Amino acid sequence: MSWLAVFLALFVLIALFGLVNYWGYRRVEQAQRAWFRQMLGEGVNLEAFLQSAPYEYKPLKGSKAYGIVDKRTGLEVYRVKTPEEAEAWIVTNTLAEQGKLPKKSG
């Protein structure tokens, strides 16, 4: 009987940790979507914007990092740790090149 209680307690703890991790991930995802919406404006598709941007990102061989490559020259211009960071870098730098960075409020 006691081993069953220990098993159930561990199961509940693991489930709670998983739920907290899931909620944290959802918050990060929502924040990322809000940031991209703020930077690009309403109605702009992120995937379409990234396709038309002068930069792209690719995983680096033998590394967990990603290299950002300038499509015009084929040269690597920056390195980041995650695809999300690469997308944010591409959006920010493309808008800066176009002179369309949103103004800071406040």
Side-chain angles (χ1 to χ4, degrees), residues 36-62:
F36 282 120
R37 200 175 320 113
Q38 176 187 0
M39 294 298 283
L40 296 174
E42 293 292 331
V44 177
N45 183 353
L46 175 62
E47 296 302 321
F49 182 86
L50 291 174
Q51 285 291 330
S52 66
Y55 303 100
E56 64 184 348
Y57 66 94
K58 298 179 180 179
L60 298 173
K61 293 180 181 171

Side-chain angles (χ1 to χ4, degrees), residues 1-12:
M1 179 70 175
S2 66
W3 63 269
L4 183 61
V6 169
F7 175 76
L8 287 175
L10 286 175
F11 181 77
V12 168

Side-chain angles (χ1 to χ4, degrees), residues 12-22:
V12 168
L13 280 175
I14 291 170
L16 284 175
F17 284 132
L19 191 57
V20 167
N21 188 29
Y22 173 73

Side-chain angles (χ1 to χ4, degrees), residues 60-78:
L60 298 173
K61 293 180 181 171
S63 174
K64 293 181 180 178
Y66 293 82
I68 297 175
V69 177
D70 189 331
K71 292 179 187 176
R72 300 166 288 200
T73 63
L75 299 175
E76 182 180 310
V77 293
Y78 200 70

